[in-house]
Amino acid sequence: MENICLDPTDASEMHEKDHVFFTHLTTELIHLLPVLPEKCTAFTTQEIYKLLQKLNRYCELGLDFPKNLKILPYDYPLNLKNLCVTAKASDDGWFGACVLLLEDENEKIGYAKRFVAHGLHKKRIKKWKQFFRDQSLSALILGKDLVENKDSLLPDFKKITKELENLEEGAEVSTNFSLYDPESLAKLNDLCQKTGHRLLLTPLQANIAKSFFPFDDFETGTDSDVLIADLRQTFDVVCETQSPSEIDDLIKIIDPKEVSYC
């Protein structure tokens, strides 16, 4: 498996590699696309590719999508020389993210760089976790950000719902949700409408949300109404930290022979 690169953070990591996989949208992905080596083939999911196109249009990033960036389909084994790669949707709060099963003649490796384990329960196993469990993995690779990073931009909708219910009816609500997660913008907008509040989005947020949910009604304020970072300067999205017990539960469910962090 020496000729593949998983979620690189620097251009030097892609040198001399045949294949590169981007399993979730990151600052690094946007910066690395223009310097993707011509000799390698890069893969990402259809949802991430679509979101990149929307960000490129509405944020005026000026990205040229390289011809060697391909769509990685879910649930379909991709054969690359002596390696087989299968992607599964990581339906845990990261828009378009996936996990990978990497197989060669000697081993089966599960790779899950970023995901959200909150709400994990023994009686309700996510499909990708059950898939990994059924593979009898020789190794499981998890992202070190899952246990090291203490900040989060992934919304806690249970907490948000309680806060909205305690607000006076008709109160205005602004948002600085990440544009990496248009589903959360749509969900918050629906919650506000159901609880009698006005959600003001920036024109940029509204354009992207509308492009994914054309039949929803989004109210647009001005840039001064809603605080949001200039996305042409920063695309920082922080991973949600998992508690040690959540990671332990995940490992017990999957039951790999070995666990490592990258």
Side-chain angles (χ1 to χ4, degrees):
M1 301 187 185
E2 298 85 6
N3 291 325
I4 68 170
C5 180
L6 303 174
D7 293 312
T9 58
D10 187 85
S12 62
E13 299 175 44
M14 303 186 293
H15 291 168
E16 306 301 324
K17 300 297 184 181
D18 293 332
H19 303 97
V20 178
F21 292 87
F22 297 104
T23 65
H24 54 284
L25 186 54
T26 63
T27 303
E28 290 82 11
L29 169 54
I30 292 173
H31 292 161
L32 290 176
L33 280 182
V35 295
L36 191 66
E38 293 183 4
K39 72 175 288 288
C40 80
T41 303
F43 295 92
T44 195
T45 67
Q46 177 70 50
E47 291 93 337
I48 291 175
Y49 194 95
K50 180 180 178 181
L51 183 52
L52 280 169
Q53 290 177 315
K54 302 293 186 183
L55 294 173
N56 194 40
R57 173 183 176 184
Y58 292 113
C59 300
E60 300 179 357
L61 298 177
L63 282 178
D64 290 325
F65 289 82
K67 294 181 180 179
N68 52 340
L69 178 63
K70 307 297 183 181
I71 300 300
L72 181 64
Y74 293 132
D75 306 318
Y76 184 82
L78 180 68
N79 292 305
L80 305 170
K81 295 184 178 179
N82 297 323
L83 178 68
C84 181
V85 181
T86 305
K88 301 289 288 186
S90 174
D91 52 348
D92 294 316
W94 286 91
F95 184 82
C98 68
V99 299
L100 302 177
L101 173 67
L102 310 169
E103 300 177 84
D104 63 17
E105 59 182 10
N106 297 315
E107 55 187 351
K108 289 185 177 183
I109 297 176
Y111 174 77
K113 180 70 172 180
R114 285 187 174 179
F115 60 89
V116 180
H118 293 176
L120 184 66
H121 193 276
K122 293 180 180 179
K123 294 183 179 179
R124 184 179 57 82
I125 303 174
K126 292 289 187 178
K127 291 182 179 179
W128 70 267
K129 301 181 181 78
Q130 185 172 1
F131 174 72
F132 275 4
R133 181 189 62 182
D134 294 341
Q135 300 304 312
S136 299
L137 297 179
S138 54
L140 174 64
I141 302 175
L142 302 175
K144 62 182 179 180
D145 286 347
L146 292 169
V147 293
E148 291 181 358
N149 204 321
K150 297 183 179 179
D151 296 319
S152 172
L153 290 182
L154 292 177
D156 183 343
F157 278 104
K158 288 185 178 180
K159 182 178 179 181
I160 290 172
T161 300
K162 290 181 180 179
E163 292 178 351
L164 289 175
E165 290 173 347
N166 292 330
L167 286 176
E168 294 182 4
E169 187 173 348
E172 293 184 356
V173 182
S174 63
T175 175
N176 62 349
F177 277 16
S178 169
L179 293 183
Y180 283 22
D181 192 6
E183 289 179 331
S184 288
L185 285 175
K187 188 170 183 178
L188 179 62
N189 185 65
D190 184 59
L191 281 175
C192 286
Q193 291 178 352
K194 289 179 178 178
T195 52
H197 306 301
R198 296 175 61 209
L199 174 66
L200 297 180
L201 302 178
T202 63
L204 179 58
Q205 288 176 314
N207 284 336
I208 291 179
K210 194 72 175 177
S211 69
F212 281 90
F213 302 95
F215 301 108
D216 289 9
D217 294 323
F218 298 98
E219 186 170 358
T220 305
T222 66
D223 288 326
S224 60
D225 290 328
V226 188
L227 299 177
I228 188 169
D230 182 352
L231 294 185
R232 285 165 292 188
Q233 301 298 322
T234 175
F235 271 90
D236 291 336
V237 172
V238 183
C239 180
E240 182 164 309
T241 306
Q242 317 301 316
S243 69
S245 62
E246 288 169 330
I247 296 297
D248 288 343
D249 285 344
L250 173 80
I251 294 172
K252 288 179 182 178
I253 288 173
I254 297 175
D255 193 26
K257 294 180 181 178
E258 180 182 334
V259 179
S260 62
Y261 294 87
C262 64

